[in-house]
Amino acid sequence: MHSKLTAAALTAVLALAAGAAVAAPHPEWHKGAKIAPADWGRGQQVDYHAHHLSAPPRGYEWREVDGNYVLAAAATGLIAAAIIDSGQ
């Protein structure tokens, strides 16, 4: 009986953890944070006009990473804005 309760509790915890990961993709992407070089590198620069985004300041660019848009400094990765796709 004890092992069944332990297994059920572990299953519930894992399900909640998986749900939290899906509900908040890339929570570290917010103004003032830095985007990881690996994320920056796999992202693609986007045409801000075509995606109805604000014009980036000098030295910044918009990148699309996993369906999310991140405006960050090209030299440092400092994030000025992020639009996170909540549908992931």
Side-chain angles (χ1 to χ4, degrees):
M1 179 74 171
H2 179 67
S3 63
K4 286 184 180 179
L5 288 175
T6 302
L10 181 58
T11 301
V13 168
L14 291 174
L16 286 173
V22 171
H26 304 295
E28 70 276 10
W29 291 352
H30 57 82
K31 185 176 181 175
K34 288 190 176 182
I35 187 169
D39 290 334
W40 180 264
R42 66 190 176 85
Q44 295 184 14
Q45 187 174 7
V46 297
D47 176 6
Y48 68 92
H49 289 292
H51 294 278
H52 308 287
L53 301 168
S54 61
R58 180 182 298 267
Y60 283 73
E61 61 185 59
W62 282 102
R63 291 273 176 137
E64 181 182 2
V65 183
D66 300 333
N68 305 293
Y69 295 95
V70 181
L71 175 63
T76 65
L78 183 65
I79 297 172
I83 301 171
I84 305 301
D85 178 14
S86 61
Q88 286 187 347

